[in-house]
Amino acid sequence: MPPSQSPDQSVEAAPADIRARVMTAVLDELSLWGVERFSIEAMAERHHLDAATIYRYWGDRQRLIVDAALADIEGFGAATDTGSLRTDLEAFARSVADRINTEVGRTYLRALAITRRGPHDEDTRMKFWAARFAVVRTIIDRARERGELREGVNTMAAVQIVMAPLNIRALYSDGVVDDDYCAAVVDLAWHALRRQPE
C-alpha cells in the first residue's frame, strides 16, 4: 500500500545514483504498459528497486512519471535564446526533433499521448504538457518583448504551431523527423507569428 501524501507535500531530492536507476526503470515501464498501467510497486519488483525509497523521493506515481518525462526537455528553453524569433524557432524545432528521434524521447511522447484516458492519468498528462509549455513559452515571450510578434498572438497557440506537427509526425510514424521538415514547420510558424514590416 503506498504511503499517503498530499499532492503539494515536498519530497527529498533523490541522490544521483538512485535517480538514474529509477529514471531508467520508469522509461522501461512506460514503454511496456503506458501511463494507465504504470505501477510503482510492479516497477520496483521488476527492476529490483525499493518501492518505499521511490515514494520517499517522488511521493506518488504522478510525480514520478511527470518528473521522468520533464527530464527529457529541461534544456529546451536555454538552448533556444538566439536573439530572434525565427532562429529561436529553428533551434527549438531541432531540439525537439533531436529528442523525439531517439527511442527514449519517442517512448515518453507515445506513453503520454496514445492510450485510453482515465481521470487520474489525464491529469498526469496535463501536468506534463503544462510544464512542457512553461519551458518553451519563453521563445514567444522573448519575441513579444522584442516587438517581433504581430498583435493578438495567443502564446499557447504559437507554441503549438511548432510543437504539434513535430509531435504528430513522431506519434504516427517511426521515420526520422529531419531538418527539412523542421525548416518547413518553422517557416510556416514564423510567417504566421511575425509582425509584418510597415
Side-chain angles (χ1 to χ4, degrees):
M1 175 72 80
S4 69
Q5 184 164 26
S6 63
D8 59 352
Q9 186 175 340
S10 62
V11 291
E12 243 181 286
D17 60 329
I18 292 175
R19 180 177 178 80
R21 287 184 63 207
V22 171
M23 292 297 102
T24 299
V26 171
L27 172 64
D28 187 54
E29 293 297 294
L30 286 173
S31 67
L32 289 171
W33 312 111
V35 174
E36 274 72 18
R37 295 174 62 192
F38 182 92
S39 162
I40 288 177
E41 287 75 14
M43 179 186 76
E45 182 177 349
R46 271 189 287 271
H47 293 269
H48 309 291
L49 300 168
D50 178 47
T53 298
I54 296 170
Y55 282 111
R56 173 184 172 191
Y57 291 121
W58 281 275
D60 59 33
R61 67 189 286 280
Q62 183 179 78
R63 282 188 184 188
L64 180 59
I65 292 168
V66 173
D67 183 39
L70 288 180
D72 247 15
I73 59 166
E74 285 174 353
F76 284 4
T80 55
D81 191 358
T82 66
S84 77
L85 174 61
R86 180 157 199 153
T87 54
D88 277 3
L89 292 173
E90 288 170 350
F92 171 63
R94 283 195 300 272
S95 293
V96 172
D98 286 347
R99 195 54 181 150
I100 60 180
N101 282 331
T102 67
E103 182 181 352
V104 171
R106 203 158 289 203
T107 295
Y108 277 132
L109 183 63
R110 289 177 174 174
L112 286 160
I114 299 181
T115 188
R116 71 183 192 284
R117 297 180 174 176
H120 174 80
D121 295 307
E122 179 66 4
D123 186 49
T124 299
R125 290 188 189 85
M126 290 304 100
K127 285 183 183 298
F128 166 68
W129 290 113
R132 187 169 191 165
F133 170 72
V135 170
V136 300
R137 70 170 295 164
T138 54
I139 295 170
I140 304 305
D141 291 342
R142 284 195 303 262
R144 184 172 280 116
E145 289 167 8
R146 291 191 299 254
E148 293 181 87
L149 292 187
R150 64 174 175 77
E151 292 297 319
V153 167
N154 177 283
T155 302
M156 180 169 283
V159 170
Q160 290 175 338
I161 284 174
V162 180
M163 288 179 65
L166 302 176
N167 287 337
I168 290 295
R169 183 152 177 166
L171 286 171
Y172 292 102
S173 168
D174 289 328
V176 172
V177 180
D178 60 23
D179 285 345
D180 288 344
Y181 186 74
C182 289
V185 169
V186 167
D187 187 61
L188 291 171
W190 181 71
H191 280 94
L193 300 172
R194 72 186 179 104
R195 182 188 296 275
Q196 297 292 329
E198 297 180 2

